[in-house]
Amino acid sequence: MRFSERNGHTPERPVQIEEVDSYLRNCIWDYFYRSELRSDAFDLHLLNDKYGIVESMLTRLGESYEDPNFKNGNIKNQNKLHTLICIDCDWYVVYDFIEEYLNSTEISDADKHCDELNKLLENGKAGYRILKNNDSYIVVPITSNDELQAIKEAEATPYAPVNAHIAKAAELYSDRENPDYENSVKESISAVESICKIITNDKKATLGKALKKLSASNIIIHESMVEAFKKLYGYTNDESGIRHGSLEMSKVQAEDALFMLIACSAFVNYLIAKMQRTEDPQSKE
């Protein structure tokens, strides 16, 4: 938050949904420039050429570039990318730029860039954050760091099937061109079903049956919570539910999918914590 906002001299900026203001655009460009284009950063460049990444980024964003062998070609390419990101492009292209940049960078560097760019998004009041999705990076519309952390944890459990469902749910939800909220909800609830099958050691159990069997595995949770997730499962699985592709549930909204992604991620993390507590007697103390 800026000094003027903290001290009440200017109104606090609203969260930016489907927009990126000039302040945030310039912050993102400045970070990219300092990381990749300044003269002492040659060893970080994707193509071992400080301008190679500019040509790569223009290509990835569907733009043409000047032949760098011609006079001032490199500078023209840099100026074109700068103008595109800071002035000309639609808001969503800025997030395309972030994704393309991170996904074209070595993982060891990309993780650091991801953290720094997320700080910029937070400070810039963006309603979006970068999420590492398996070995790639996606920008997701999320406004709470706690919510983002819940999804991150649920994507990185010791259980590959659970991780895969959460990662897919996030990917389907965050696709800016063709979001698939219906299937995102299916993947979210499937993650809960997967962890329940693992805990109860019953590969054939449905979520409803597995939830009933948790107590037999020494996973004791409040009955109200069990009933709540039974109802969520019913929402996705009964005759008028999402899994059956009914007309009633064919228009799942973004907020429905986001709620399910966050709720199911949090419940997965909760169940794993409960399971680890039963396996480690010292954790009960």
Side-chain angles (χ1 to χ4, degrees):
M1 185 182 295
R2 297 171 181 169
F3 171 87
S4 57
E5 294 170 346
R6 294 195 308 271
N7 291 278
H9 298 293
T10 59
E12 185 175 342
R13 289 167 293 161
V15 174
Q16 298 189 64
I17 303 294
E18 296 192 359
E19 64 173 315
V20 182
D21 65 16
S22 60
Y23 171 79
L24 182 54
R25 286 172 183 257
N26 281 288
C27 286
I28 291 168
W29 171 260
D30 183 61
Y31 179 81
F32 173 75
Y33 179 85
R34 287 185 290 105
S35 298
E36 304 296 341
L37 299 179
R38 66 185 183 185
S39 60
D40 60 347
F42 284 89
D43 59 326
L44 297 178
H45 301 143
L46 179 65
L47 304 177
N48 296 319
D49 173 356
K50 70 173 184 175
Y51 292 107
I53 193 170
V54 172
E55 298 158 22
S56 174
M57 291 305 304
L58 286 170
T59 300
R60 285 170 171 268
L61 295 173
E63 301 289 328
S64 61
Y65 61 86
E66 296 285 340
D67 187 334
N69 294 319
F70 284 107
K71 184 178 180 180
N72 296 325
N74 285 324
I75 297 299
K76 288 181 180 179
N77 289 333
Q78 179 180 317
N79 289 340
K80 181 174 184 176
L81 184 59
H82 172 260
T83 301
L84 177 70
I85 299 304
C86 293
I87 301 173
D88 288 347
C89 73
D90 290 320
W91 69 271
Y92 48 83
V93 177
V94 176
Y95 292 117
D96 288 342
F97 170 74
I98 290 174
E99 288 184 346
E100 295 294 345
Y101 172 45
L102 294 176
N103 289 319
S104 65
T105 305
E106 292 293 333
I107 291 294
S108 57
D109 291 329
D111 286 344
K112 178 190 71 174
H113 295 327
C114 177
D115 290 341
E116 293 301 319
L117 286 166
N118 265 333
K119 291 177 184 177
L120 292 180
L121 295 180
E122 180 178 3
N123 291 337
K125 297 296 182 69
Y128 305 83
R129 295 292 185 273
I130 309 160
L131 182 67
K132 189 173 183 180
N133 191 289
N134 294 325
D135 289 329
S136 63
Y137 299 84
I138 58 175
V139 176
V140 297
I142 264 182
T143 57
S144 164
N145 286 330
D146 291 337
E147 293 170 353
L148 184 64
Q149 186 59 35
I151 297 170
K152 284 183 177 180
E153 289 181 15
E155 275 192 337
T157 74
Y159 310 104
V162 177
N163 302 346
H165 284 304
I166 293 294
K168 188 64 176 178
E171 179 183 345
L172 292 168
Y173 169 72
S174 63
D175 188 326
R176 289 185 296 282
E177 293 186 3
N178 296 294
D180 189 343
Y181 301 133
E182 180 179 335
N183 281 308
S184 176
V185 168
K186 293 179 186 179
E187 294 292 342
S188 293
I189 201 70
S190 292
V192 176
E193 190 171 63
S194 290
I195 192 60
C196 287
K197 288 180 178 181
I198 291 167
I199 292 172
T200 60
N201 196 28
D202 187 347
K203 295 181 180 179
K204 296 182 178 180
T206 62
L207 178 57
K209 292 180 180 178
L211 285 169
K212 293 178 181 178
K213 297 174 65 175
L214 287 176
S215 59
S217 301
N218 295 319
I219 306 297
I220 308 301
I221 61 179
H222 197 280
E223 184 61 27
S224 296
M225 192 176 295
V226 173
E227 289 301 315
F229 266 87
K230 283 181 182 178
K231 290 177 180 178
L232 281 178
Y233 180 66
Y235 159 71
T236 66
N237 202 55
D238 64 20
E239 290 184 359
S240 62
I242 292 170
R243 289 189 180 185
H244 292 273
S246 72
L247 292 175
E248 291 90 339
M249 296 308 303
S250 64
K251 294 183 179 180
V252 179
Q253 301 297 311
E255 60 270 21
D256 302 322
L258 178 59
F259 169 78
M260 290 296 289
L261 176 57
I262 295 168
C264 291
S265 294
F267 195 54
V268 162
N269 298 333
Y270 172 78
L271 290 176
I272 290 175
K274 284 285 190 183
M275 180 169 58
Q276 291 172 342
R277 184 177 290 273
T278 63
E279 294 173 349
D280 181 6
Q282 294 183 349
S283 67
K284 298 178 181 179
E285 297 176 359

